[in-house]
Every structure is written in C-alpha cells, then in structure tokens.
Amino acid sequence: MGKKRGRKPKTPTQTLDHSVASFEDDVFSVTNVEIINPTTPATDNHHRPRGRPRKRSRYSLDKPEKPPPLMNGGEVLAEGPSSEGAARVVPEMDAVVKVFCVHTEPNFSLPWQRKRQYSSSSSGFVIGGKRVLTNAHSVEHFTQVKVKKRGSDTKYLATVLAIGTECDIAMLTVNDDEFWEGVSPVEFGDLPSLQDAVTVVGYPIGGDTISVTSGVIDAAINSGNSGGPAFNDRGKCVGIAFQSLKHEDVENIGYVIPTPVILHFIQDYEKNGAYTGFPFLGIEWQKMENPDLRIAMGMKPDQKGVRIRRIDPTASESEVLKPSDIILSFDGVNIANDGTVPFRHGERIGFSYLISQKYTGDSAAIQVLRDSESLSFDIKLSTHKRLIPPHVRGRPPSYYIIAGFVFTTVSVPYLRSEYGKDYEYEAPVKLLDKLLHSMPRSPNEQLVVVSQVLVADVNIGYEDIVNTQVLAFNGKPVNNLRSLANMVESCDDEFLKFDLEYEQIVVLQTKNAKAATVDILTTHCIPSAMSDDLKR
C-alpha cells in the first residue's frame, strides 16, 4: 500500500545531465541591494556607510518630488561613476510593462476538473519584433493575459506565443498597433561579471508605478519585480528577474535569468516557430577526481574528463556511448575531472552549459576514452522525456476510472498537488527514488498509479490504496496510461486483475466493475471515465 510520508532524500553524488532541468549554472544573482532614486544622482558605492544597510522603501518613478533630470535621447543620465568610469545610464523605462493574467490551474488530484481561477500581476518588457518577454510562471495555465504600458490606463489583450517552463521565460505579443506607439524595445548586453552594477526595473506586487532596485553581481537582488528586466550601467538588458529567496538568515536576494538563456529562448522560437526546449545528454556521470580511479580507467596523466555511469536508453546517444566511457571533451572543449569547463577569465562552469547553448536537432562532437583508446563521435542532440516529467507544459492531466479506481500518471506537479511544496520529503520513498534515479525504458513510458479509490460497494476492501504504482494488468506490463485504459476497455475476461507495487493485487469481476463505473461517475459528478486525450 502506498505510504503517505517519505524520508528526506539524500543528495546524490552522481549527476544526471539533463542540462537545463536546473539552471544553477545559467542564472546569476544580485546582492548589496540599494534603492536608486531615479530622479537624483546615483549614490557612489565607495561612500556608503559601513555595516548592514537599512531597509528602505521603494521609490516610485512617478513621484514628482524632485525636478526631472537631464534627458538625452529618451534615456535618463544619472551622475556617478560606472564600472568603466563613464556616466551611469538609467535605461528607457517605457519598455517595461505590467502583465495581468487570469490563471485556471489543473487539479492534478481531481484531474477531471480545474481549480478556482485566480489573478496575478507581474512585469515584462518589450523586445524587437513587437514582442514582450516575461516569466513563464507569470502566464502559466493562463485563460487571459493583458498588458499595460507605463503611465497608461489602458490594458491591451495579449497573445501568448511561447512558454519555456524550464527557463521560466514566456513571449507575448499584442495585436493592437496602438500599444506599440512610442515604445522602443530594449537592447541586450553581455553577461555581467562579478561586482558589476545591475538595476532591476518592474512593477512590484500591488504597485502600479515602476520601481527601480539596484545591486551588484555577487553571491546573490531583492526585486519583487518578477519578469522585469535587469539592466547594466550602460542601459543594456542583461537578464530577467525571476525568483526571490526568502530565508530567515538572508535578506534582499533575488535571481536573474541571464542573456545567454534569454537569447537561446528567442532564437529557438524564431528558428522553429515554437519553443522546443533545451537539449541535453541523457546520461548520468561521475567525477574523476580520484587519482586511483583515473589510473584504473586507463587515463593518462594529462587526460581529464568524467565517467558515464548510465545512459538513457531512449536517447540517441545510447547508440554510440557506453557506460564507463570517459567523456574527454564536448565540441572541442576539454572537460575537467570535476565536470567543469572554462567559462570566462578566472571562472569555470559545469559542462552542461555547453550543451544548453545548442538547439534541438543540432550536432555535437564528443571525444571519449574507451578501453584506453580515444574515440570521437558526432551525436544529434534532442530533448528527452523524463519518466516523471518536471512540467506538463499547460496540458490537463490524463486519467482513467474503472470501478472507482482513479488511474493517472505521476509528474512533479502531481506530487506537489498530493504532498505540497515539500513533496521531496513527504511523498512515498519509492516514488521519490523513481523521480531521482529512474530512466524511461521506452519513449512513451509513463509511471501509472492508483491515485485514489472512490468508495463504492464494488471496491470494498480496497479503499486505502493511494498513489501506488500499477505494474501489470491481467499479466501484461503497463507501459503507460493509454495502454492500461485500452486493455481494460477491451477486456472480456471474467476478472480484471491489477498487479500493484508492494506485491499488492486488485481483482474485480469485469461485468460488475464496468457496470458500477457509470453510477460512481454520476455520484461524483465526473463527466467521463477518461480524459479527452485518451479518447483520441
């Protein structure tokens, strides 16, 4: 029987290279937060008093307490030194917009219905081609999106062009030409370096006026302006604010999606007419920092790399790569024994960064060491489906119901719905193990579970089965939810027998089970015994 609680999972020593499943290597953060008064000269960081900075309220651009500053081509020039000794440029603010969204989220625990709709507001900014960028979570599960320009009282209907959940970026457009009048798109700059000054602009929660927050690149900006642009001191956009960190020991921390990820998202859409995602290598790898391990694997003193532990059998690279291969380089860039590659002067980054810069369908050259022999392969990169997918890309969840047994597939949103934000600690241990370590055996494999049992006379004694994996039906393996539904619907055997995890079995008389399903659906106001995607 499925357990309701699990233990806190240990951090695995190996690395599953899904490249952009986590953007730890592809985000930067800002700290030493200072609120800039945009109508007065910027404060010289060298003359700030020492000690912990006092909390200050945000300054609104629309407050007319001070005379307007010098204007130059639509840009505000603020006095004070920049990192290059030139006057610091406060960027064009009219490109920053407020995004309004009405969301209707799926109900993963009751997959035949949706949750109550709710509204949210966030920030966005105009880029070339009459498009607006914001955060993906700002418009996720949208039913309606509107945008409003600075100083305007008009909200314009927006169309969502693409949503990249992995990178938390969404692209919008507005069909009304009036919206684009007097708006200049932002220009993108290079990835900032440590200690570079950064300004985040946007609309904080509950505010209708722009706020400007400043900080420097370090370990960690308290923005509150999710989806707003981050500008360098030359007025170029270097990122999108997307997350704030709230912790009792830390204040004024937020994270920014950098320009390489933003440009990848934009170019992916332009190349393919849709967001296709970031490719990755479907492998798990091991560091080769131990000298005895390197010797045992036949590595020469001047060779460095990482060892392949496992390979996703559904990945195309499984046809050429083998477990225990040592990956020496990717696209000609040598990989260190800790899995890092050179990034900028004096900096290193995980080699998955190189993969994330490629596009779905691109080729890459990989050099490996196998049995002390160096081999080179050209592989075609693609995105791969996880056994337990981290996102559902806006699709409603699939389900199938027979005799009150609700069958569905496991995803991270499902686990979050069932066990809350701490699902990593609360979900059953076996599900967590599959989340962290299991690879699909075929491209269409899903992890199917009995989500719950809607109590009725026909299923007496099975009421406590919850979130338990279905392994087989009438002796045949269950590969995905569609295959299970098809087998049950076409079954004319006397009994329906489900083999579950933990050595449990469920046996029902076929005729009684199918007859009872209609009444159970009526009792619970469920419109159909299966989701629409399973009917096609």
Side-chain angles (χ1 to χ4, degrees), residues 291-446:
D292 294 339
L293 178 60
R294 293 198 298 271
I295 294 173
M297 296 300 298
M299 296 178 68
K300 298 177 182 178
D302 61 339
Q303 288 180 322
K304 296 179 180 180
V306 294
R307 173 183 172 268
I308 296 177
R309 296 181 63 251
R310 292 196 301 163
I311 304 175
D312 183 345
T314 67
S316 59
E317 47 266 31
S318 64
E319 300 175 2
V320 293
L321 301 179
K322 295 182 179 181
S324 288
D325 280 353
I326 307 297
I327 303 180
L328 303 176
S329 67
F330 181 89
D331 263 356
V333 180
N334 292 330
I335 300 173
N337 291 322
D338 63 354
T340 62
V341 294
F343 184 48
R344 297 183 297 197
H345 180 69
E347 298 177 75
R348 300 189 68 84
I349 195 169
F351 82 94
S352 63
Y353 171 79
L354 300 176
I355 306 167
S356 70
Q357 297 306 293
K358 309 282 278 187
Y359 294 88
T360 303
D362 283 357
S363 295
I366 290 186
Q367 184 182 11
V368 302
L369 185 70
R370 180 184 300 167
D371 299 327
S372 301
E373 181 183 359
S374 180
L375 303 173
S376 297
F377 300 104
D378 286 327
I379 62 171
K380 188 174 182 179
L381 297 172
S382 62
T383 56
H384 300 289
K385 195 168 110 177
R386 303 280 297 273
L387 180 60
I388 298 182
H391 313 291
V392 293
R393 295 184 184 271
R395 297 188 302 269
S398 302
Y399 71 91
Y400 175 67
I401 300 174
I402 183 72
F405 285 79
V406 181
F407 299 94
T408 190
T409 59
V410 179
S411 63
V412 170
Y414 175 80
L415 293 176
R416 192 178 291 116
S417 175
E418 288 287 288
Y419 301 100
K421 63 181 180 179
D422 294 326
Y423 67 89
E424 299 100 326
Y425 314 129
E426 302 295 332
V429 173
K430 284 198 173 185
L431 287 182
L432 293 175
D433 181 69
K434 290 179 173 64
L435 172 66
L436 293 172
H437 304 296
S438 290
M439 293 180 173
R441 292 164 293 183
S442 62
N444 59 354
E445 183 180 3
Q446 295 174 316

Side-chain angles (χ1 to χ4, degrees), residues 204-366:
I205 295 175
D208 284 325
T209 53
I210 286 179
S211 70
V212 181
T213 310
S214 178
V216 295
I217 303 299
D218 193 348
I221 192 168
N222 177 25
S223 64
N225 304 323
S226 186
F231 294 100
N232 60 20
D233 55 8
R234 292 171 295 281
K236 299 298 179 71
C237 177
V238 295
I240 304 175
F242 83 110
Q243 185 184 53
S244 294
L245 176 62
K246 296 179 180 179
H247 191 276
E248 59 184 3
D249 297 329
V250 182
E251 289 185 355
N252 294 340
I253 291 180
Y255 293 92
V256 176
I257 306 165
T259 44
V261 177
I262 301 170
L263 295 177
H264 187 287
F265 172 84
I266 295 172
Q267 291 164 9
D268 181 18
Y269 176 81
E270 292 175 347
K271 287 176 62 175
N272 301 291
Y275 171 73
T276 65
F278 291 75
F280 61 86
L281 286 179
I283 64 171
E284 288 180 352
W285 55 268
Q286 176 185 0
K287 295 179 180 180
M288 294 295 292
E289 295 177 304
N290 184 275
D292 294 339
L293 178 60
R294 293 198 298 271
I295 294 173
M297 296 300 298
M299 296 178 68
K300 298 177 182 178
D302 61 339
Q303 288 180 322
K304 296 179 180 180
V306 294
R307 173 183 172 268
I308 296 177
R309 296 181 63 251
R310 292 196 301 163
I311 304 175
D312 183 345
T314 67
S316 59
E317 47 266 31
S318 64
E319 300 175 2
V320 293
L321 301 179
K322 295 182 179 181
S324 288
D325 280 353
I326 307 297
I327 303 180
L328 303 176
S329 67
F330 181 89
D331 263 356
V333 180
N334 292 330
I335 300 173
N337 291 322
D338 63 354
T340 62
V341 294
F343 184 48
R344 297 183 297 197
H345 180 69
E347 298 177 75
R348 300 189 68 84
I349 195 169
F351 82 94
S352 63
Y353 171 79
L354 300 176
I355 306 167
S356 70
Q357 297 306 293
K358 309 282 278 187
Y359 294 88
T360 303
D362 283 357
S363 295
I366 290 186

